[in-house]
Amino acid sequence: MNIILRPWTRADAPALVAAAASSPDLAPQFGDVALHSLEVAEIFIDESLRFDATAKNWAVVEEGVAVGNVGASAIDFRHESAWMYYWLAAAARGKGYATAGLLAASNWAFRNGLHRLELGHRINNPASCRVATAAGYQPEGIEREKLRYCDTRYDVETHARLASDPTPSTHAPALPLVG
């Protein structure tokens, strides 16, 4: 299998539409945007899957097709911190891509001067928790009703990894990171 991480392009719009349609649990990852057309997906890539000084979004690409995202936002070099996140289309799950992608993005962040990386997952999402812990992120606590999707509020478990933490050993594939 040929898997890489690289910045999103507008050419990934069909894959983004397909990923969004692959599982209803991905809808919160896209906010209030219904990714049902190529035009909307292209705008979403431009505005929300940016690759700039404060946000880095890498498409998880399997055999040339974007099947997920691993990102860092709120990149703050003064405090040496960032907020990490990830999602995968339904067919790409269970292959270790999220863990491998999070490890690669975390290593990028540490190489580029960041010290503390944080992430959070809804407590009703144990798969996301497994990814975080497999990538060396330690749980730090529950933030009550932190996230709101539609009319529902969710408790979030926050995790963090420090540059000084040991690199976790994992069975996830090593993914090359472009960008």
Side-chain angles (χ1 to χ4, degrees):
M1 264 283 147
N2 184 20
I3 311 297
I4 65 165
L5 300 174
R6 59 148 172 83
W8 287 82
T9 70
R10 285 179 149 237
D12 294 316
L16 181 58
V17 170
S22 75
S23 181
D25 69 344
L26 284 176
Q29 301 297 327
F30 308 123
D32 294 330
V33 178
L35 293 169
H36 297 304
S37 73
L38 296 180
E39 295 79 17
V40 171
E42 288 172 347
I43 292 167
F44 188 84
I45 289 167
D46 290 345
E47 295 177 357
S48 299
L49 296 176
R50 299 183 337 264
F51 199 86
D52 58 32
T54 61
K56 304 285 186 198
N57 284 279
W58 290 276
V60 178
V61 179
E62 177 185 55
E63 300 299 332
V65 178
V67 296
N69 184 69
V70 175
S73 66
I75 298 171
D76 181 343
F77 287 101
R78 179 182 182 274
H79 295 292
E80 302 173 340
S81 62
W83 182 261
M84 309 300 286
Y85 47 91
Y86 42 88
W87 59 262
L88 291 172
R93 296 176 186 172
K95 300 177 181 181
Y97 298 169
T99 300
L102 182 57
L103 283 167
S106 300
N107 290 339
W108 171 89
F110 295 144
R111 280 193 315 272
N112 284 278
L114 299 181
H115 178 75
R116 178 181 171 83
L117 306 177
E118 302 173 357
L119 62 82
H121 62 83
R122 296 182 320 272
I123 61 170
N124 68 340
N125 187 348
S128 188
C129 186
R130 286 190 297 273
V131 168
T133 55
Y137 284 72
Q138 301 298 312
E140 293 193 327
I142 305 294
E143 296 177 89
R144 299 178 312 133
E145 297 185 5
K146 181 175 183 169
L147 299 178
R148 181 179 62 84
Y149 298 122
C150 297
D151 294 329
T152 305
R153 296 209 67 90
Y154 294 91
D155 292 349
V156 171
E157 183 173 49
T158 302
H159 294 243
R161 183 170 167 207
L162 306 178
S164 55
D165 288 343
T167 301
S169 61
T170 178
H171 297 294
L175 297 184
L177 187 135
V178 178

